[in-house]
């Protein structure tokens, strides 16, 4: 439903058959395009062609007059040069990383063989070999001299009992987020969707919010169990929220590209700001109703023991969602239809050019001011919007709280069904199915035609339920592989998951510094962009591994 945009004027051929009128243009290859040829006299539509052009292909739209008297023409797309296979760099990168992981696995297996391990230690440090074997590593005959668990032996029992699946899940989300923020190889599916819809890039932030909620349930339960008072825990919650918001505004602020920050152009919302506010609300809500001991609930419905004791929390969350629905669908917005969820610009046939985001955009502009929100939203790429719009705005924070609350529910499941792996995974799958059903109803299983479409910019409730559905499934899979069967240690994602704040802030601050970025020979090459972005992401994984080995963790 976009307005047609002028592409080119084709000059007349003046009756010449050897030198027809021509015009050269560059077109988008992400979406199928509809090309309309209009007569320069009377603006009459002559023909219409829909075609999905391939990347770096060379095409001709050949226009011929079939009948001069009736002014009928034919339009045919011909291929001059076939488009390239732009996905080959992804295949090559996959093979390279697969080879690296295979070598590491083989090395780890060889290191479990006593003679090989002892020979390696002897070569690395011959003077200390005997002492290492007899003290830190144990005798060569001990079965646990090398543990495939990533946690060092000297750590406490409580540390070893930490759910590695949570850190692995967090690290996976963070690694994808870093890769996406660095450019994602300039592939469209590693960029945020312009408006409605879902790409890989749109999954990672809600997953990070989700696992933050899971961690809240476990950490608050642990602190209270070890004797911390609720007032002391509340002070920690307030302090951590304040630091996250402060870091987001001062350190990780996109308006630095405009020069030194000033109040005139300071962006107030942001990723860390939203994390801080979401953490504050969900952690305080959980602290208010949590118990130091999570024994079996003795109510009428033991199958709902992780839900019914906390009915006030659910009422609060449902009330928040009602507020979001009422403001989004019922708030009057000047010069916009009530309940408008579109991108504005040339979308919806250009009828509402200044209505980007509907009520969500209006509230941000009204309360924060146009200069204090994000100036280049993803909607400007396709829909040519001119209004500033912030995807981390005020109204969307309500649904990020809902997302974190779903993660909190996952944490409660692991607490109430501790060591009952089958029950935990069944609950995760049930929650995933419930979220999927809600998403199907809200969206009518379509991208554009549902009651409430999936939309990352709006953080629509269907976006939350859909990404929540995927989060429960992914967490159950990681939990099974890492903590139940121990088929996988969680590496390499486990390491950035243990230092998530440092990695996130670091990758933002050093984004334009070598070796995370360098001048490319061909800025249009997927291969070069992918190489640069994967190199930068891998470096942060290596940095987090080295920090982990030195037991350096930046906690807020």
């Amino acid at each position: 439903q976009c307005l047609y945009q002028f592409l080119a004027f084709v000059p007349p051929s003046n009756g010449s058959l050897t030198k027809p009128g021509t015009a050269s243009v560059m077109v988008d290859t992400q979406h199928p395009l509809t090309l309309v040829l209009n007569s320069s006299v009377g603006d009459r539509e002559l023909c219409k062609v829909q075609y999905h052009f391939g990347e770096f292909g060379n095409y001709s739209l050949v226009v011929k007059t079939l009948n001069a008297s009736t002014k009928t023409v034919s339009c045919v797309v011909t291929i001059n040069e076939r488009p390239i296979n732009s996905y080959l760099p992804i295949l090559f990168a996959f093979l390279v990383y697969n080879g690296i992981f295979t070598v590491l696995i083989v090395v780890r297996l060889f290191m479990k063989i006593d003679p090989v391990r002892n020979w390696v230690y002897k070569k690395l440090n011959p003077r200390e070999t005997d002492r290492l074997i007899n003290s830190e590593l144990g005798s060569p005959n001990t079965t646990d001299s090398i543990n495939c668990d990533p946690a060092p032996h000297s750590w406490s029992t409580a540390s070893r009992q930490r759910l590695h699946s949570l850190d692995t899940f967090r690290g996976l989300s963070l690694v994808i987020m870093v890769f996406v923020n660095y450019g994602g190889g300039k592939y469209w599916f590693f960029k945020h969707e312009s408006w409605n819809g879902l790409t890989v890039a749109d999954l990672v932030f809600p997953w990070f919010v989700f696992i933050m909620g899971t961690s809240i349930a476990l950490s608050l339960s642990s602190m209270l169990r070890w004797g911390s008072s609720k007032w002391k825990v509340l002070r920690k919650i307030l302090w951590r929220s304040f630091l996250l918001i402060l870091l987001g505004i001062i350190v990780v602020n996109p308006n630095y590209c405009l020069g030194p920050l000033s109040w005139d152009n300071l962006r107030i919302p942001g990723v860390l700001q939203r994390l801080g506010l979401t953490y504050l609300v969900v952690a305080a809500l959980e602290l208010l109703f949590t118990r130091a001991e999570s024994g079996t609930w003795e109510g009428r419905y033991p199958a709902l023991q992780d839900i019914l004791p906390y009915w006030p929390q659910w009422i609060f969350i449902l009330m928040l969602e009602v507020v979001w629905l009422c403001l989004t669908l019922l708030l009057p917005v000047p010069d916009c239809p009530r309940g408008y969820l579109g991108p504005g610009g040339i979308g919806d046939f250009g009828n509402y050019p200044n209505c980007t985001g509907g009520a969500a955009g209006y509230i941000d502009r009204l309360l924060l001011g146009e200069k204090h929100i994000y100036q280049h939203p993803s909607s400007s790429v396709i829909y040519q919007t001119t209004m500033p719009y912030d995807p981390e705005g005020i109204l969307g924070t309500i649904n990020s709280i809902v997302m974190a609350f779903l993660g909190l529910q996952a944490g409660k499941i692991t607490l109430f069904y501790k060591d009952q792996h089958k029950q935990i995974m069944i609950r995760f799958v049930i929650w995933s199915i419930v979220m999927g059903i809600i998403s199907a109803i809200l969206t009518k299983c379509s991208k554009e035609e549902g009651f409430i479409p999936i939309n990352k910019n709006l953080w629509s409730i269907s976006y939350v339920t859909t990404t929540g559905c995927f989060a429960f499934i992914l967490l159950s899979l990681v939990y099974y592989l890492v903590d139940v069967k121990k088929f996988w240690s969680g590496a390499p994602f486990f390491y950035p998951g243990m230092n998530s704040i440092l990695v996130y802030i670091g990758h933002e601050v050093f984004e334009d510094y070598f070796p995370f970025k360098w001048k490319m020979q061909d800025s249009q090459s997927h291969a070069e962009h992918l190489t640069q972005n994967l190199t930068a992401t891998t470096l942060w994984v290596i940095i987090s591994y080295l920090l982990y080995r030195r037991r350096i963790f930046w906690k807020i």
Side-chain angles (χ1 to χ4, degrees):
Q1 297 183 341
C2 288
L3 281 176
Y4 286 107
Q5 301 298 296
F6 177 78
L7 188 62
F9 174 76
V10 184
S13 61
N14 296 324
S16 172
L17 297 178
T18 57
K19 293 184 178 180
T22 61
S24 298
V25 294
M26 188 179 295
V27 294
D28 178 71
T29 61
Q30 178 178 344
H31 304 282
L33 296 182
T34 301
L35 302 178
V36 176
L37 183 68
N38 290 327
S39 171
S40 56
V41 180
D43 200 29
R44 184 173 65 91
E45 182 179 309
L46 300 177
C47 65
K48 181 186 294 185
V49 177
Q50 188 174 46
Y51 198 86
H52 196 166
F53 296 96
E55 203 163 338
F56 295 108
N58 189 294
Y59 301 85
S60 291
L61 177 63
V62 181
V63 182
K64 294 182 180 180
T65 302
L66 299 179
N67 190 316
S69 59
T70 59
K71 297 183 178 179
T72 56
V73 300
S74 70
C75 296
V76 179
V77 175
T78 61
I79 302 176
N80 306 323
E81 290 182 30
R82 291 196 170 275
I84 66 169
N85 187 344
S86 58
Y87 303 114
L88 284 178
I90 295 180
L91 175 61
F92 182 75
F94 171 78
L95 295 176
V96 169
Y97 278 89
N98 195 47
I100 293 173
F101 290 140
T102 302
V103 170
L104 292 175
I105 292 172
V106 170
V107 170
R108 181 179 289 272
L109 291 175
F110 270 104
M111 288 295 291
K112 289 185 177 182
I113 303 173
D114 289 342
V116 174
R117 182 177 64 253
N118 296 336
W119 180 83
V120 170
Y121 284 126
K122 186 175 181 179
K123 289 294 183 182
L124 290 176
N125 197 347
R127 294 183 179 179
E128 298 292 325
T129 300
D130 293 335
R131 187 183 65 81
L132 284 171
I133 293 177
N134 293 327
S135 59
E136 293 183 17
L137 298 177
S139 65
N141 293 325
T142 54
T143 57
D144 61 343
S145 55
I146 291 294
N147 187 0
C148 62
D149 193 303
H153 280 290
S154 58
W155 284 31
S156 66
T157 302
S159 177
R160 288 200 300 269
Q161 292 176 346
R162 181 186 180 103
L163 285 176
H164 287 176
S165 56
L166 303 188
D167 296 309
T168 303
F169 185 102
R170 185 188 302 109
L172 174 62
S173 303
L174 183 60
V175 167
I176 300 175
M177 187 185 296
V178 170
F179 174 67
V180 165
N181 288 348
Y182 277 154
K186 295 300 179 182
Y187 289 100
W188 65 268
F189 43 83
F190 289 133
K191 296 179 181 179
H192 293 296
E193 188 65 79
S194 288
W195 200 248
N196 293 336
L198 203 62
T199 66
V200 176
D202 297 323
L203 296 173
V204 289
F205 188 25
W207 283 357
F208 198 86
V209 173
F210 177 90
I211 207 65
M212 180 180 71
T214 308
S215 300
I216 288 173
L218 301 179
S219 62
L220 291 189
S221 174
S222 176
M223 283 189 285
L224 294 175
R225 194 166 58 248
W226 282 98
S228 297
S229 68
K230 286 194 173 184
W231 284 111
K232 182 179 179 181
V233 175
L234 180 60
R235 286 195 297 271
K236 288 185 177 181
I237 292 171
L238 292 171
W239 177 245
R240 190 181 193 199
S241 302
F242 171 74
L243 286 180
L244 283 171
I245 294 171
L246 193 66
L247 286 170
I249 292 176
I250 296 178
V251 180
V252 187
N253 198 305
N255 285 4
Y256 274 119
C257 63
L258 303 176
L261 284 185
S262 68
W263 181 249
D264 293 335
N265 61 6
L266 182 71
R267 182 195 179 194
I268 298 175
V271 171
L272 290 181
Q273 295 93 307
R274 174 166 287 187
L275 286 176
L277 289 172
T278 301
Y279 175 81
L280 174 62
V281 174
V282 176
L285 185 65
E286 175 64 6
L287 181 65
L288 187 62
F289 295 99
T290 194
R291 297 173 294 175
E293 296 294 333
S294 55
T296 303
W297 187 59
E298 298 179 355
R300 293 181 58 186
Y301 305 100
L304 301 177
Q305 61 176 322
D306 55 332
I307 299 176
L308 292 183
Y310 299 98
W311 61 267
Q313 291 180 335
W314 284 95
I315 290 178
F316 177 81
I317 292 298
L318 291 175
M319 287 176 60
L320 272 184
E321 192 53 43
V322 169
V323 169
W324 184 86
L325 288 170
C326 290
L327 289 175
T328 300
L329 302 178
L330 302 178
L331 181 69
V333 179
D335 302 321
C336 302
R338 186 165 296 184
Y340 182 71
L341 300 175
I346 64 172
D348 301 298
F349 303 110
N351 292 323
Y352 317 111
N354 297 323
C355 295
T356 303
Y362 174 67
I363 290 173
D364 287 342
R365 293 189 292 269
L366 183 67
L367 299 182
L368 304 177
E370 290 190 7
K371 292 185 178 180
H372 299 293
I373 59 178
Y374 196 50
Q375 301 296 308
H376 308 287
S378 58
S379 57
S380 63
V381 178
I382 298 294
Y383 298 100
Q384 301 182 22
T385 56
T386 57
M387 298 293 291
Y389 179 83
D390 207 305
E392 279 76 50
I394 297 172
L395 199 55
T397 304
I398 292 177
N399 279 340
S400 70
I401 292 171
V402 176
M403 187 71 189
F405 188 76
L406 292 176
L408 185 78
Q409 186 61 39
K412 289 177 182 176
I413 290 172
T414 60
L415 288 173
F416 278 98
Y417 299 95
K418 187 176 182 181
D419 298 328
Q420 301 178 48
H421 302 313
K422 185 178 179 180
Q423 287 296 326
I424 290 174
M425 295 184 63
I426 288 174
R427 302 287 287 186
F428 285 168
V429 172
I430 290 174
W431 272 100
S432 177
I433 293 172
V434 171
M435 292 296 104
I437 291 173
I438 295 174
S439 296
I441 294 172
L442 291 174
T443 63
K444 297 182 181 178
C445 297
S446 71
K447 180 179 177 181
E448 304 283 353
E449 304 301 325
F451 300 109
I452 301 178
I454 298 172
N455 190 295
K456 190 264 181 188
N457 282 285
L458 295 172
W459 265 73
S460 62
I461 184 60
S462 57
Y463 173 66
V464 169
T465 54
T466 302
T467 54
C469 168
F470 296 152
F472 274 110
I473 284 291
L474 181 60
L475 182 58
S476 64
L477 178 62
V478 175
Y479 177 75
Y480 178 77
L481 293 175
V482 175
D483 288 321
V484 179
K485 293 298 183 179
K486 301 190 185 301
F487 291 147
W488 178 30
S489 67
F493 304 113
F494 173 80
Y495 306 115
M498 291 288 289
N499 245 324
S500 55
I501 296 297
L502 186 146
V503 172
Y504 180 80
I505 293 179
H507 101 276
E508 288 278 4
V509 172
F510 295 102
E511 178 181 3
D512 294 323
Y513 290 83
F514 183 84
F516 304 104
K517 193 173 186 179
W518 59 83
K519 185 177 181 180
M520 291 182 288
Q521 298 294 322
D522 182 4
S523 61
Q524 296 296 316
S525 168
H526 278 299
E528 286 200 50
H529 279 287
L530 190 64
T531 300
Q532 184 180 91
N533 302 152
L534 284 175
T535 299
T537 305
T538 303
L539 285 173
W540 282 112
V541 173
I542 294 172
I543 290 170
S544 63
Y545 170 75
L546 295 175
L547 292 173
Y548 174 83
R549 296 304 299 177
R550 293 181 174 273
R551 303 180 195 176
I552 298 174
F553 304 103
W554 186 19
K555 302 293 184 182
I556 295 179

